[in-house]
Coordinates of all heavy atoms in Angstrom, one line a residue:
V113 N 17.0 11.9 14.6 CA 17.0 12.5 13.2 C 16.0 13.7 13.0 O 15.6 14.0 11.9 CB 16.7 11.3 12.1 CG1 17.8 10.4 12.1 CG2 15.4 10.7 12.5
G114 N 15.6 14.2 14.2 CA 14.8 15.4 14.2 C 13.3 15.1 14.0 O 12.4 16.0 13.9
G115 N 12.9 13.9 14.1 CA 11.5 13.5 14.0 C 10.9 13.3 15.4 O 11.5 13.7 16.4
D116 N 9.6 12.9 15.4 CA 9.0 12.7 16.7 C 7.9 11.6 16.6 O 7.6 11.1 15.5 CB 8.3 14.1 17.2 CG 7.2 14.5 16.4 OD1 6.6 13.7 15.7 OD2 6.9 15.7 16.4
L117 N 7.5 11.1 17.8 CA 6.5 10.1 18.0 C 5.4 10.7 18.8 O 5.6 11.5 19.7 CB 7.1 8.9 18.8 CG 7.9 7.8 18.1 CD1 8.4 6.8 19.0 CD2 6.9 7.1 17.0
N118 N 4.2 10.3 18.4 CA 3.0 10.8 19.2 C 1.9 9.7 19.1 O 2.0 8.8 18.4 CB 2.5 12.1 18.5 CG 1.9 13.1 19.5 OD1 1.4 12.7 20.6 ND2 2.0 14.3 19.3
A119 N 0.9 9.9 20.0 CA -0.1 8.9 20.0 C -1.4 9.6 20.7 O -1.2 10.6 21.5 CB 0.2 7.7 20.8
Y120 N -2.5 9.1 20.4 CA -3.8 9.6 21.2 C -4.7 8.4 21.2 O -4.7 7.5 20.3 CB -4.3 10.8 20.5 CG -5.0 10.6 19.2 CD1 -6.4 10.2 19.1 CD2 -4.3 10.9 18.0 CE1 -7.0 10.0 17.9 CE2 -4.9 10.7 16.8 CZ -6.2 10.3 16.7 OH -6.8 10.1 15.5
T121 N -5.6 8.5 22.1 CA -6.7 7.5 22.3 C -8.0 8.2 22.4 O -8.1 9.2 22.9 CB -6.5 6.7 23.6 OG1 -5.2 6.2 23.7 CG2 -7.5 5.5 23.7
N122 N -9.0 7.6 21.7 CA -10.4 8.1 22.0 C -11.3 6.9 22.3 O -10.9 5.8 22.6 CB -10.8 9.0 20.9 CG -10.9 8.4 19.6 OD1 -11.1 7.2 19.5 ND2 -10.6 9.2 18.5
K123 N -12.6 7.2 22.1 CA -13.6 6.1 22.5 C -13.5 4.9 21.6 O -13.9 3.8 21.9 CB -15.0 6.7 22.5 CG -15.3 7.8 23.4 CD -15.3 7.4 24.9 CE -15.4 8.6 25.9 NZ -16.8 8.9 26.0
E124 N -13.1 5.1 20.3 CA -13.1 4.0 19.3 C -11.8 3.7 18.6 O -11.7 2.7 17.9 CB -14.2 4.3 18.2 CG -15.6 4.3 18.7 CD -16.7 4.2 17.6 OE1 -16.5 5.0 16.6 OE2 -17.7 3.4 17.8
E125 N -10.8 4.4 18.9 CA -9.5 4.1 18.2 C -8.2 4.6 19.1 O -8.4 5.5 19.8 CB -9.4 4.7 16.8 CG -9.4 6.1 16.7 CD -10.8 6.7 16.1 OE1 -11.6 5.8 15.7 OE2 -10.9 7.9 15.9
M126 N -7.1 4.0 18.8 CA -5.9 4.4 19.3 C -5.0 4.6 18.1 O -4.9 3.8 17.2 CB -5.2 3.4 20.2 CG -4.0 3.9 21.0 SD -2.4 4.1 20.1 CE -2.1 2.4 19.5
V127 N -4.3 5.8 18.0 CA -3.4 6.1 16.8 C -2.1 6.4 17.4 O -1.9 7.2 18.3 CB -4.0 7.3 16.1 CG1 -3.0 7.6 14.9 CG2 -5.4 7.1 15.5
V128 N -1.0 5.8 16.8 CA 0.4 6.1 17.1 C 1.0 6.4 15.8 O 0.9 5.7 14.8 CB 1.0 5.0 17.9 CG1 0.9 3.6 17.1 CG2 2.5 5.3 18.1
Y129 N 1.8 7.5 15.7 CA 2.4 8.0 14.5 C 3.6 8.8 14.7 O 4.0 9.1 15.8 CB 1.4 8.8 13.7 CG 1.0 10.1 14.4 CD1 1.5 11.3 14.0 CD2 0.0 10.1 15.5 CE1 1.1 12.5 14.6 CE2 -0.4 11.4 16.0 CZ 0.2 12.5 15.6 OH -0.1 13.7 16.2
S130 N 4.3 9.0 13.6 CA 5.6 9.7 13.6 C 5.6 10.7 12.5 O 5.0 10.6 11.4 CB 6.8 8.7 13.4 OG 8.0 9.4 13.4
A131 N 6.3 11.8 12.8 CA 6.6 12.8 11.8 C 8.1 12.9 11.5 O 8.9 12.8 12.6 CB 6.1 14.2 12.2
F132 N 8.6 12.9 10.3 CA 10.0 12.7 10.0 C 10.3 13.3 8.6 O 9.4 13.5 7.8 CB 10.4 11.3 10.1 CG 9.5 10.5 9.3 CD1 9.7 10.0 8.0 CD2 8.3 9.8 10.0 CE1 8.9 9.3 7.3 CE2 7.4 9.1 9.2 CZ 7.7 8.8 7.8
L133 N 11.6 13.4 8.3 CA 12.0 13.7 6.9 C 11.9 12.4 6.1 O 12.1 11.4 6.6 CB 13.4 14.3 6.9 CG 13.7 15.5 7.6 CD1 15.1 16.0 7.6 CD2 12.8 16.7 6.9
T134 N 11.4 12.6 4.8 CA 11.1 11.4 4.0 C 12.3 10.4 3.9 O 12.0 9.2 3.7 CB 10.7 11.9 2.6 OG1 11.6 12.8 2.1 CG2 9.3 12.6 2.7
D135 N 13.5 10.9 4.0 CA 14.7 10.0 3.9 C 14.6 9.0 5.1 O 15.3 8.0 5.0 CB 16.0 10.7 4.0 CG 16.3 11.5 2.6 OD1 15.6 11.2 1.6 OD2 17.1 12.4 2.7
D136 N 14.0 9.3 6.2 CA 13.9 8.4 7.3 C 12.7 7.6 7.4 O 12.4 7.1 8.5 CB 14.0 9.3 8.6 CG 15.4 10.1 8.6 OD1 16.4 9.5 8.4 OD2 15.3 11.3 8.9
L137 N 12.0 7.3 6.3 CA 10.9 6.5 6.3 C 11.0 5.1 6.9 O 10.2 4.6 7.7 CB 10.3 6.3 4.8 CG 9.1 5.4 4.7 CD1 7.9 6.0 5.4 CD2 8.8 5.2 3.2
S138 N 12.2 4.4 6.4 CA 12.3 3.0 6.9 C 12.5 3.0 8.4 O 12.1 2.1 9.1 CB 13.6 2.4 6.2 OG 14.7 3.2 6.5
R139 N 13.2 4.0 9.0 CA 13.5 4.0 10.5 C 12.1 4.2 11.1 O 11.9 3.5 12.1 CB 14.3 5.3 10.7 CG 14.6 5.5 12.2 CD 15.4 6.8 12.3 NE 16.8 6.7 11.9 CZ 17.8 6.7 12.7 NH1 17.6 6.9 14.0 NH2 19.0 6.5 12.3
A140 N 11.3 5.1 10.7 CA 9.9 5.3 11.3 C 9.1 4.0 11.2 O 8.5 3.6 12.2 CB 9.2 6.4 10.6
V141 N 9.0 3.3 10.0 CA 8.2 2.2 9.8 C 8.6 1.1 10.7 O 7.8 0.4 11.4 CB 8.1 1.8 8.4 CG1 7.4 0.5 8.2 CG2 7.5 2.8 7.5
E142 N 9.9 0.8 10.7 CA 10.4 -0.3 11.5 C 10.1 -0.1 13.0 O 9.7 -1.0 13.8 CB 11.9 -0.5 11.4 CG 12.5 -1.7 12.0 CD 12.9 -1.6 13.5 OE1 13.2 -0.3 13.8 OE2 12.9 -2.5 14.2
L143 N 10.2 1.1 13.5 CA 10.1 1.5 14.9 C 8.5 1.3 15.2 O 8.2 0.8 16.3 CB 10.5 2.9 15.2 CG 10.2 3.4 16.7 CD1 11.0 2.6 17.7 CD2 10.5 4.8 16.8
L144 N 7.7 1.8 14.4 CA 6.2 1.7 14.7 C 5.8 0.2 14.7 O 4.9 -0.1 15.6 CB 5.5 2.5 13.6 CG 5.6 4.0 13.7 CD1 5.2 4.7 12.5 CD2 4.8 4.5 14.9

């Protein structure tokens, strides 16, 4: 749907996130 997934790690946290069109919020939340 044209979105993407990304992640990074540092000394104190790990972040995984997605960028997407707002209509695809449920798709992103369920996947994460």
Side-chain angles (χ1 to χ4, degrees):
V113 292
D116 64 25
L117 275 174
N118 213 332
Y120 71 85
T121 308
N122 59 32
K123 299 292 177 78
E124 291 195 318
E125 63 253 359
M126 192 287 296
V127 179
V128 56
Y129 64 101
S130 180
F132 51 91
L133 296 177
T134 51
D135 287 347
D136 298 312
L137 175 67
S138 61
R139 176 183 288 248
V141 173
E142 187 275 331
L143 177 64
L144 287 162

